[in-house]
Amino acid sequence: MKKFLDDDFLLTNNTAKKLYHEYAKDMPIIDYHCHLNPQEIYENKKFTDITKLWLVNGTYGDHYKWRLLRAYGVSEDYITGNKNSYEKFSKWAEVIPYTIGNPLYHWTHLELKRFFNIDDLLCPKNAKKIYDECNEKLKTDDFTPRRLMERSNVKVVCTTDDPCDSLEYHLKLKKEYNAVKVLPSFRPDKAINIELEGFNDYLNRLSGVVGYHISSLTELLKALEERIDFFSKTGCRLSDHALDRVMFKAATFSEVNDILQRKLNKETLSEDEIKQYKGFIMLFLGKQYAKHNWVMQLHIAALRNANSHMFESIGPDTGFDAINESVNIIELKQLLDKLAYDNLLPKTILYSLNPNDNQLLATLMGCYQDGSVSGKMQLGSAWWFNDHIDGMLTQMKTLANVGLLSKFVGMLTDSRSFLSYPRHEYFRRILCNMIGTWVEEGLYPADFDILKQIVQDICYYNAANYFEI
């Protein structure tokens, strides 16, 4: 019987062990998509409570864990409610032994082991001991946001930032801290989602940032271009879009300006009008990204805020999202094709929350590899509900089957926690075991010069070259 979480965790053959321990283990990390707070990185305050760092702080925290707590039968008082920190921690200790088969069992114990040197398996019997031990260690200088990243060998993190953000803390970090590059990513969803109730209010906010009233399409495009220029000067290399539904329909400038005017007048838009507006704005933004040599990330097929009662009670990003229907591959093709036709398709990463989309996206992106950049079009890493063993293997095997796994830009955390970096270790072990198994089964030769390059490229160098950071 193999021991749980030993040095060869997830590594089932000698080639896999060699690939991981000699080539992958110590590679730096580029976390090119996360939701860390740049203010917390700048202020670098110590965390005093493992619950607030690891589980929940008000309605902000790890909704992966929250979903399992609810599924176990834990009331909301112990999740986002008013129970004290230890009571909330103890509930997770009660649930964790029963999360068999879920990656959170592995992540939880990897984080305790890697950051706190705790090998005990969390359970109700040792919950108070582990809680106290973690909180005592949090008093040391090893548990500030910066030190947690440095201890994890992180070289770059890319946060997620709205066009209206001042990037105040990115600018300060750029001047005062260089051990880890903290770069913004441009996330203009609120300027694109014209169908949402808060769209007009958002344009008023954007107007305040750029210093002129946005009352036409000309002014909106001007504002977006100015914010892209500002982000670029601050070090931005990526955009990010939550395209829960891919929507695209060709339209003229005049048609889209009329649609915008109708929205500003609080009129109801048809679905075709929404598609025309979104398609036009995405084309405009894609061309801007190409001019700035940015990477465009498209996160597709999330069904957000499915539980309307809980959304109204505690807000978004609290564990009530699901997988949406499959990507509209035809409308996605139209978007990419128009950009490519104009020779302004930026480097692009396509993610879908729906695992049925892996082959759709992998084959579509192959149509737009143009030889200008190695791995220009990327099949995004297994994301959110898919970042488990099966999901990672499915994503990588699909890419290997119809594209070039060797040019994959690798893993990201997509996390709000400074303790999430063992997810890169988790990914690297799975990657090395998959490749090692292929070698052991005679599906690829034991050429360790090439294998070393492939593994280290996927872990680090591909991302460093792709994002030019």
PDB file of all heavy atoms in Angstrom, residues 15 19 435-436 438-452 454:
ATOM      1  N   THR A  15      10.045   6.629 -14.328  1.00  0.00           N
ATOM      2  CA  THR A  15      10.242   7.763 -15.233  1.00  0.00           C
ATOM      3  C   THR A  15       9.525   9.001 -14.705  1.00  0.00           C
ATOM      4  O   THR A  15      10.075  10.107 -14.728  1.00  0.00           O
ATOM      5  CB  THR A  15       9.734   7.421 -16.646  1.00  0.00           C
ATOM      6  OG1 THR A  15      10.421   6.257 -17.119  1.00  0.00           O
ATOM      7  CG2 THR A  15       9.988   8.573 -17.610  1.00  0.00           C
ATOM      8  N   LEU A  19      11.258  12.598 -13.824  1.00  0.00           N
ATOM      9  CA  LEU A  19      10.798  13.837 -14.452  1.00  0.00           C
ATOM     10  C   LEU A  19      10.398  14.868 -13.417  1.00  0.00           C
ATOM     11  O   LEU A  19      10.727  16.057 -13.543  1.00  0.00           O
ATOM     12  CB  LEU A  19       9.622  13.552 -15.385  1.00  0.00           C
ATOM     13  CG  LEU A  19       9.898  12.696 -16.623  1.00  0.00           C
ATOM     14  CD1 LEU A  19       8.611  12.452 -17.402  1.00  0.00           C
ATOM     15  CD2 LEU A  19      10.945  13.340 -17.523  1.00  0.00           C
ATOM     16  N   ILE A 435       3.282  11.863 -18.626  1.00  0.00           N
ATOM     17  CA  ILE A 435       4.364  11.698 -19.598  1.00  0.00           C
ATOM     18  C   ILE A 435       5.212  10.477 -19.257  1.00  0.00           C
ATOM     19  O   ILE A 435       5.597   9.699 -20.135  1.00  0.00           O
ATOM     20  CB  ILE A 435       5.228  12.976 -19.655  1.00  0.00           C
ATOM     21  CG1 ILE A 435       4.406  14.138 -20.215  1.00  0.00           C
ATOM     22  CG2 ILE A 435       6.476  12.738 -20.507  1.00  0.00           C
ATOM     23  CD1 ILE A 435       5.144  15.461 -20.239  1.00  0.00           C
ATOM     24  N   GLY A 436       5.494  10.287 -17.954  1.00  0.00           N
ATOM     25  CA  GLY A 436       6.272   9.128 -17.537  1.00  0.00           C
ATOM     26  C   GLY A 436       5.600   7.818 -17.910  1.00  0.00           C
ATOM     27  O   GLY A 436       6.274   6.853 -18.323  1.00  0.00           O
ATOM     28  N   TRP A 438       3.548   7.368 -20.465  1.00  0.00           N
ATOM     29  CA  TRP A 438       3.713   7.192 -21.906  1.00  0.00           C
ATOM     30  C   TRP A 438       5.087   6.589 -22.230  1.00  0.00           C
ATOM     31  O   TRP A 438       5.202   5.713 -23.092  1.00  0.00           O
ATOM     32  CB  TRP A 438       3.559   8.531 -22.629  1.00  0.00           C
ATOM     33  CG  TRP A 438       2.159   9.071 -22.643  1.00  0.00           C
ATOM     34  CD1 TRP A 438       1.005   8.383 -22.418  1.00  0.00           C
ATOM     35  CD2 TRP A 438       1.766  10.422 -22.902  1.00  0.00           C
ATOM     36  NE1 TRP A 438      -0.081   9.224 -22.508  1.00  0.00           N
ATOM     37  CE2 TRP A 438       0.343  10.468 -22.812  1.00  0.00           C
ATOM     38  CE3 TRP A 438       2.452  11.588 -23.194  1.00  0.00           C
ATOM     39  CZ2 TRP A 438      -0.372  11.647 -23.018  1.00  0.00           C
ATOM     40  CZ3 TRP A 438       1.749  12.761 -23.404  1.00  0.00           C
ATOM     41  CH2 TRP A 438       0.343  12.791 -23.317  1.00  0.00           C
ATOM     42  N   VAL A 439       6.118   7.077 -21.541  1.00  0.00           N
ATOM     43  CA  VAL A 439       7.469   6.554 -21.778  1.00  0.00           C
ATOM     44  C   VAL A 439       7.563   5.098 -21.328  1.00  0.00           C
ATOM     45  O   VAL A 439       8.083   4.231 -22.054  1.00  0.00           O
ATOM     46  CB  VAL A 439       8.520   7.423 -21.063  1.00  0.00           C
ATOM     47  CG1 VAL A 439       9.912   6.785 -21.168  1.00  0.00           C
ATOM     48  CG2 VAL A 439       8.533   8.843 -21.641  1.00  0.00           C
ATOM     49  N   GLU A 440       7.046   4.817 -20.148  1.00  0.00           N
ATOM     50  CA  GLU A 440       7.106   3.454 -19.616  1.00  0.00           C
ATOM     51  C   GLU A 440       6.354   2.468 -20.506  1.00  0.00           C
ATOM     52  O   GLU A 440       6.721   1.297 -20.614  1.00  0.00           O
ATOM     53  CB  GLU A 440       6.519   3.421 -18.201  1.00  0.00           C
ATOM     54  CG  GLU A 440       7.316   4.203 -17.171  1.00  0.00           C
ATOM     55  CD  GLU A 440       8.445   3.400 -16.552  1.00  0.00           C
ATOM     56  OE1 GLU A 440       8.370   2.161 -16.562  1.00  0.00           O
ATOM     57  OE2 GLU A 440       9.407   4.036 -16.050  1.00  0.00           O
ATOM     58  N   GLU A 441       5.290   2.944 -21.153  1.00  0.00           N
ATOM     59  CA  GLU A 441       4.493   2.068 -22.015  1.00  0.00           C
ATOM     60  C   GLU A 441       5.022   2.013 -23.449  1.00  0.00           C
ATOM     61  O   GLU A 441       4.409   1.383 -24.319  1.00  0.00           O
ATOM     62  CB  GLU A 441       3.036   2.535 -22.012  1.00  0.00           C
ATOM     63  CG  GLU A 441       2.355   2.335 -20.651  1.00  0.00           C
ATOM     64  CD  GLU A 441       0.923   2.848 -20.629  1.00  0.00           C
ATOM     65  OE1 GLU A 441       0.513   3.516 -21.623  1.00  0.00           O
ATOM     66  OE2 GLU A 441       0.208   2.588 -19.641  1.00  0.00           O
ATOM     67  N   GLY A 442       6.141   2.659 -23.703  1.00  0.00           N
ATOM     68  CA  GLY A 442       6.731   2.630 -25.031  1.00  0.00           C
ATOM     69  C   GLY A 442       6.062   3.527 -26.041  1.00  0.00           C
ATOM     70  O   GLY A 442       6.259   3.371 -27.251  1.00  0.00           O
ATOM     71  N   LEU A 443       5.281   4.484 -25.573  1.00  0.00           N
ATOM     72  CA  LEU A 443       4.588   5.395 -26.478  1.00  0.00           C
ATOM     73  C   LEU A 443       5.449   6.610 -26.841  1.00  0.00           C
ATOM     74  O   LEU A 443       5.095   7.380 -27.739  1.00  0.00           O
ATOM     75  CB  LEU A 443       3.271   5.865 -25.850  1.00  0.00           C
ATOM     76  CG  LEU A 443       2.255   4.753 -25.574  1.00  0.00           C
ATOM     77  CD1 LEU A 443       1.037   5.313 -24.855  1.00  0.00           C
ATOM     78  CD2 LEU A 443       1.832   4.071 -26.874  1.00  0.00           C
ATOM     79  N   TYR A 444       6.557   6.796 -26.108  1.00  0.00           N
ATOM     80  CA  TYR A 444       7.512   7.872 -26.393  1.00  0.00           C
ATOM     81  C   TYR A 444       8.866   7.409 -25.892  1.00  0.00           C
ATOM     82  O   TYR A 444       8.943   6.764 -24.842  1.00  0.00           O
ATOM     83  CB  TYR A 444       7.090   9.189 -25.715  1.00  0.00           C
ATOM     84  CG  TYR A 444       7.891  10.378 -26.190  1.00  0.00           C
ATOM     85  CD1 TYR A 444       7.494  11.104 -27.311  1.00  0.00           C
ATOM     86  CD2 TYR A 444       9.058  10.758 -25.541  1.00  0.00           C
ATOM     87  CE1 TYR A 444       8.239  12.181 -27.768  1.00  0.00           C
ATOM     88  CE2 TYR A 444       9.815  11.827 -25.979  1.00  0.00           C
ATOM     89  CZ  TYR A 444       9.404  12.547 -27.104  1.00  0.00           C
ATOM     90  OH  TYR A 444      10.143  13.598 -27.552  1.00  0.00           O
ATOM     91  N   PRO A 445       9.948   7.708 -26.606  1.00  0.00           N
ATOM     92  CA  PRO A 445      11.265   7.201 -26.189  1.00  0.00           C
ATOM     93  C   PRO A 445      11.772   7.858 -24.915  1.00  0.00           C
ATOM     94  O   PRO A 445      11.395   8.986 -24.582  1.00  0.00           O
ATOM     95  CB  PRO A 445      12.167   7.537 -27.378  1.00  0.00           C
ATOM     96  CG  PRO A 445      11.479   8.663 -28.081  1.00  0.00           C
ATOM     97  CD  PRO A 445      10.007   8.424 -27.896  1.00  0.00           C
ATOM     98  N   ALA A 446      12.652   7.161 -24.226  1.00  0.00           N
ATOM     99  CA  ALA A 446      13.244   7.663 -22.981  1.00  0.00           C
ATOM    100  C   ALA A 446      14.417   8.589 -23.294  1.00  0.00           C
ATOM    101  O   ALA A 446      15.553   8.385 -22.831  1.00  0.00           O
ATOM    102  CB  ALA A 446      13.679   6.493 -22.113  1.00  0.00           C
ATOM    103  N   ASP A 447      14.139   9.632 -24.071  1.00  0.00           N
ATOM    104  CA  ASP A 447      15.136  10.640 -24.435  1.00  0.00           C
ATOM    105  C   ASP A 447      15.026  11.768 -23.420  1.00  0.00           C
ATOM    106  O   ASP A 447      14.226  12.699 -23.576  1.00  0.00           O
ATOM    107  CB  ASP A 447      14.870  11.146 -25.858  1.00  0.00           C
ATOM    108  CG  ASP A 447      15.909  12.145 -26.336  1.00  0.00           C
ATOM    109  OD1 ASP A 447      16.591  12.758 -25.486  1.00  0.00           O
ATOM    110  OD2 ASP A 447      16.035  12.323 -27.572  1.00  0.00           O
ATOM    111  N   PHE A 448      15.839  11.710 -22.371  1.00  0.00           N
ATOM    112  CA  PHE A 448      15.644  12.618 -21.247  1.00  0.00           C
ATOM    113  C   PHE A 448      16.101  14.040 -21.542  1.00  0.00           C
ATOM    114  O   PHE A 448      15.709  14.973 -20.838  1.00  0.00           O
ATOM    115  CB  PHE A 448      16.302  12.050 -19.988  1.00  0.00           C
ATOM    116  CG  PHE A 448      15.511  10.929 -19.387  1.00  0.00           C
ATOM    117  CD1 PHE A 448      15.821   9.606 -19.673  1.00  0.00           C
ATOM    118  CD2 PHE A 448      14.422  11.194 -18.575  1.00  0.00           C
ATOM    119  CE1 PHE A 448      15.067   8.569 -19.141  1.00  0.00           C
ATOM    120  CE2 PHE A 448      13.658  10.166 -18.035  1.00  0.00           C
ATOM    121  CZ  PHE A 448      13.977   8.850 -18.321  1.00  0.00           C
ATOM    122  N   ASP A 449      16.902  14.241 -22.577  1.00  0.00           N
ATOM    123  CA  ASP A 449      17.216  15.613 -22.970  1.00  0.00           C
ATOM    124  C   ASP A 449      15.959  16.322 -23.469  1.00  0.00           C
ATOM    125  O   ASP A 449      15.674  17.463 -23.077  1.00  0.00           O
ATOM    126  CB  ASP A 449      18.292  15.614 -24.065  1.00  0.00           C
ATOM    127  CG  ASP A 449      19.651  15.187 -23.549  1.00  0.00           C
ATOM    128  OD1 ASP A 449      19.893  15.329 -22.333  1.00  0.00           O
ATOM    129  OD2 ASP A 449      20.468  14.701 -24.360  1.00  0.00           O
ATOM    130  N   ILE A 450      15.200  15.643 -24.337  1.00  0.00           N
ATOM    131  CA  ILE A 450      13.956  16.227 -24.839  1.00  0.00           C
ATOM    132  C   ILE A 450      12.892  16.260 -23.754  1.00  0.00           C
ATOM    133  O   ILE A 450      12.169  17.259 -23.592  1.00  0.00           O
ATOM    134  CB  ILE A 450      13.450  15.441 -26.066  1.00  0.00           C
ATOM    135  CG1 ILE A 450      14.432  15.569 -27.225  1.00  0.00           C
ATOM    136  CG2 ILE A 450      12.058  15.924 -26.485  1.00  0.00           C
ATOM    137  CD1 ILE A 450      14.556  16.972 -27.781  1.00  0.00           C
ATOM    138  N   LEU A 451      12.777  15.195 -22.988  1.00  0.00           N
ATOM    139  CA  LEU A 451      11.769  15.144 -21.927  1.00  0.00           C
ATOM    140  C   LEU A 451      11.981  16.250 -20.902  1.00  0.00           C
ATOM    141  O   LEU A 451      11.027  16.878 -20.443  1.00  0.00           O
ATOM    142  CB  LEU A 451      11.785  13.775 -21.252  1.00  0.00           C
ATOM    143  CG  LEU A 451      11.259  12.611 -22.103  1.00  0.00           C
ATOM    144  CD1 LEU A 451      11.604  11.277 -21.445  1.00  0.00           C
ATOM    145  CD2 LEU A 451       9.752  12.724 -22.320  1.00  0.00           C
ATOM    146  N   LYS A 452      13.233  16.500 -20.545  1.00  0.00           N
ATOM    147  CA  LYS A 452      13.535  17.591 -19.606  1.00  0.00           C
ATOM    148  C   LYS A 452      13.045  18.922 -20.173  1.00  0.00           C
ATOM    149  O   LYS A 452      12.394  19.717 -19.462  1.00  0.00           O
ATOM    150  CB  LYS A 452      15.030  17.650 -19.343  1.00  0.00           C
ATOM    151  CG  LYS A 452      15.455  18.841 -18.491  1.00  0.00           C
ATOM    152  CD  LYS A 452      16.976  18.892 -18.319  1.00  0.00           C
ATOM    153  CE  LYS A 452      17.394  20.112 -17.508  1.00  0.00           C
ATOM    154  NZ  LYS A 452      18.874  20.189 -17.337  1.00  0.00           N
ATOM    155  N   ILE A 454      10.718  19.494 -22.480  1.00  0.00           N
ATOM    156  CA  ILE A 454       9.259  19.541 -22.562  1.00  0.00           C
ATOM    157  C   ILE A 454       8.653  19.829 -21.187  1.00  0.00           C
ATOM    158  O   ILE A 454       7.788  20.706 -21.035  1.00  0.00           O
ATOM    159  CB  ILE A 454       8.711  18.219 -23.140  1.00  0.00           C
ATOM    160  CG1 ILE A 454       9.047  18.107 -24.635  1.00  0.00           C
ATOM    161  CG2 ILE A 454       7.190  18.126 -22.930  1.00  0.00           C
ATOM    162  CD1 ILE A 454       8.712  16.758 -25.248  1.00  0.00           C
TER     163      ILE A 454
END
